[in-house]
Amino acid sequence: MSKSHSSKKIKSKPNRFLSVIGIFLCIVFGVVLACNLTIIIKSNISPDEPPSVLGITPFTVVSGSMSGDREGHLEVGDLLLVQKVEAAELKEGDVISFIAGGSVTTHRIVKISKVSGQLQFTTKGDANNSNDQAPVTEEQLVGRYFLRIPKIGEFALFLREPMGM
């Protein structure tokens, strides 16, 4: 009897480990699902502004204007997370996301100026030869880039394709 009792203990350890892993994955996927639903709902309610969850907005990099090896560089297909910040907190060298021409752009601040009491930011893509033509105003600011997850954005782009659906 004691022999079968000890073999049950050995079998239950892997089962317990798998149960813990399963619970952990359910929690992670639950949080991801909740964030995705929030983003979908917010984008339908306010289609003109990028949706965020707890002040954090995810973006997928679709151009190479920030490519390179400089700190804060972004490559096509990366997922980047942008945090909402006050314009006064920004400094030269920060990478910001802003709305220009109906789309979101993420470039580095090369100069900050004050015009009529409002901050304006001159920006430039790291891979570009010249500064962006129009300065970014406080109203256009989405936030400051704080995290890059390489290549994860490619999956998000794939899901938008008919094959991914």
Side-chain angles (χ1 to χ4, degrees), residues 1 13 19 29 41 49 54 73 93-94 116:
M1 177 131 178
K13 282 185 182 181
S19 294
F29 288 134
I41 291 168
E49 65 182 64
L54 302 173
H73 75 280
D94 282 347
S116 302

Side-chain angles (χ1 to χ4, degrees), residues 36 152-165:
N36 282 336
I152 296 296
E154 288 180 356
F155 181 68
L157 291 174
F158 171 71
L159 291 178
R160 292 182 185 172
E161 300 291 323
M163 180 74 109
M165 295 299 256

